[in-house]
Amino acid sequence: MSRKKKGSKRRKKAVQQVARLHRKVRNQRNDSLHQWSRCLVNTYETVVFEGIVPANLSKRVQPKKDEETGKYLPNGARAKSGFNTSILDAGWSQFIIFCEYKAEDAGTQVVFVNPK
């Protein structure tokens, strides 16, 4: 889209294409969340959630220096960045909302606990 001229027909077409892809990802995520929430509610009488903040789980890995050579040690930052994307992509609050209303309908209980 950034390479298209503003106001052009091709830019509008690219905008529609990107919107279609975002819509597809949203629908896939919602479908998965609906399936997992229904599975949890049907399987268990009580579902317990911790009050975890996803932004705290996805913090950046701090670099570590080797004291002898002064070079940076491998710390798994590349793997952590992919994991961070997965955490932020999951839609945690939406999952909790789905579980709450399905549990209310099914007569099961949803409990929130402090992570400590």
Side-chain angles (χ1 to χ4, degrees):
M1 252 181 6
S2 63
R3 294 188 292 175
K4 308 292 185 216
K5 196 179 287 185
K6 289 188 178 181
S8 69
K9 193 171 184 178
R10 289 184 180 183
R11 184 179 175 100
K12 288 178 186 175
K13 196 173 176 182
V15 167
Q16 289 175 346
Q17 212 169 14
V18 170
R20 189 180 318 120
L21 292 173
H22 282 297
R23 188 169 44 252
K24 182 176 180 181
V25 170
R26 183 186 68 218
N27 290 340
Q28 287 175 335
R29 181 181 299 126
N30 278 342
D31 183 48
S32 175
L33 293 178
H34 275 295
Q35 289 178 9
W36 277 106
S37 61
R38 177 53 64 192
C39 180
L40 280 178
V41 168
N42 288 347
T43 306
Y44 303 106
E45 291 180 12
T46 304
V47 181
V48 180
F49 289 108
E50 290 184 30
I52 295 176
V53 180
N56 292 343
L57 292 175
S58 63
K59 293 211 172 162
R60 182 173 92 94
V61 178
Q62 297 301 318
K64 295 178 185 175
K65 265 192 177 180
D66 188 14
E67 294 178 12
E68 297 174 6
T69 61
K71 295 184 178 180
Y72 287 104
L73 297 171
N75 58 359
R78 188 169 297 177
K80 176 73 170 138
S81 69
F83 184 60
N84 289 346
T85 305
S86 300
I87 288 173
L88 295 173
D89 238 8
W92 298 88
S93 61
Q94 191 69 33
F95 179 65
I96 292 172
I97 291 169
F98 289 167
C99 284
E100 283 179 327
Y101 86 79
K102 288 179 184 183
E104 184 180 318
D105 188 46
T108 61
Q109 190 177 22
V110 174
V111 180
F112 296 96
V113 294
N114 189 357
K116 292 182 182 179

